[in-house]
Amino acid sequence: QVQLQESGPGLVKPSETLSLTCTVSGDSITNYYCNWIRQSPGKGLEWIAYMYYIGNTNSNPSLKGRVSISIDTSKNQFSLKLTSVTAADTAIYYCATAARGRPVNWGLGTLVTVSP
Amino acid sequence: FMLTQPRSVSESPGKTVTISCTRSSGSIASNFVQWFQQRPGGAPTTVIYQDDQRPSGVPGRFSGSIDSSSNSASLTISGLQTEDEADYYCHSYDSSDWVFGGGTKVTVL
């Protein structure tokens, strides 16, 4: 059974960079498209970005180039960086993996608050 | 494209609820639809993938379908139970990008 666990600081100052890591266990990350999703307080799910281990990647245009995503196959992890954060980036951040013919696997999520 | 869901539905225990998810442009059949359940305070979990497939562990009360005539997908929960009270999100792909519906709150009366 694939399990995902997000990790990273729970508090980030405005204008700084949010950095999170997702550790995948139970299967190789190379079998999946790796995604980040967030959910602002009381709101719905917002897709942030995806990456496949060979380098294919894309991100939500609404985040206007502030997003980068990377994969470390040796650690079976993938990471998110979101630059120039504001209070609007306060949210629960989820990692998720997807593959054709398989259900999406979700992490438990981690709350990131942007505050001075 | 966008995916549009009703904001809320409510029904009594033991009854059946159906949640719709309408695609704004392009064919609903052109990309698989998934349904995610999010209980209060919890993370999303997959209840339907590839339009109508149930992951192991998801009760048979949950079923998914697509309808090309209305360009929509549906999630049906039969024999509604109190534990089914949650937010439900439909999801599809735009190439490899993800698109979510706005979510439907299911209330068990």
Side-chain angles (χ1 to χ4, degrees):
Chain A
Q1 175 134 356
V2 178
Q3 293 188 312
L4 291 77
Q5 178 67 62
E6 302 88 350
S7 58
L11 183 63
V12 182
K13 291 182 169 53
S15 80
E16 296 191 344
T17 296
L18 179 159
S19 296
L20 296 173
T21 296
C22 180
T23 301
V24 180
S25 59
D27 199 357
S28 172
I29 202 172
T30 61
N31 291 324
Y32 298 94
Y33 286 79
C34 300
N35 290 264
W36 287 97
I37 300 97
R38 70 182 183 181
Q39 186 171 36
S40 300
K43 302 295 186 184
L45 301 172
E46 178 186 24
W47 174 73
I48 300 171
Y50 89 89
M51 189 168 196
Y52 191 52
Y53 79 102
I54 57 174
N56 309 54
T57 185
N58 201 15
S59 60
N60 192 322
S62 70
L63 294 168
K64 296 196 186 306
R66 296 193 294 130
V67 173
S68 64
I69 184 171
S70 60
I71 288 180
D72 186 338
T73 55
S74 68
K75 295 181 179 178
N76 226 37
Q77 293 176 335
F78 61 103
S79 298
L80 171 72
K81 290 189 187 299
L82 181 65
T83 62
S84 304
V85 298
T86 70
D89 295 309
T90 293
I92 298 173
Y93 286 75
Y94 297 100
C95 59
T97 57
R100 190 171 184 85
R102 306 187 196 189
V104 171
N105 301 296
W106 292 82
L108 296 179
T110 188
L111 174 63
V112 179
T113 302
V114 178
S115 181
Chain B
F1 65 90
M2 295 189 303
L3 299 172
T4 300
Q5 303 178 231
R7 293 288 297 266
S8 64
V9 297
S10 56
E11 191 49 273
S12 302
K15 301 293 189 181
T16 297
V17 294
T18 298
I19 304 167
S20 62
C21 172
T22 302
R23 179 167 169 156
S24 62
S25 61
S27 171
I28 191 71
S30 60
N31 304 93
F32 284 127
V33 174
Q34 282 62 234
W35 289 91
F36 304 125
Q37 177 192 64
Q38 187 176 33
R39 292 192 172 113
T45 61
T46 303
V47 292
I48 294 291
Y49 68 104
Q50 282 192 180
D51 297 341
D52 58 7
Q53 301 298 301
R54 246 186 350 267
S56 60
V58 173
R61 306 181 286 105
F62 290 84
S63 63
S65 64
I66 63 168
D67 179 359
S68 294
S69 65
S70 59
N71 214 35
S72 65
S74 295
L75 172 70
T76 297
I77 312 172
S78 57
L80 197 63
Q81 299 186 5
T82 55
E83 67 201 47
D84 300 331
E85 187 159 289
D87 294 324
Y88 292 85
Y89 294 89
C90 62
H91 158 272
S92 191
Y93 296 96
D94 185 353
S95 183
S96 296
D97 297 353
W98 285 23
V99 180
F100 289 105
T104 298
K105 181 175 181 60
V106 171
T107 301
V108 181
L109 300 172

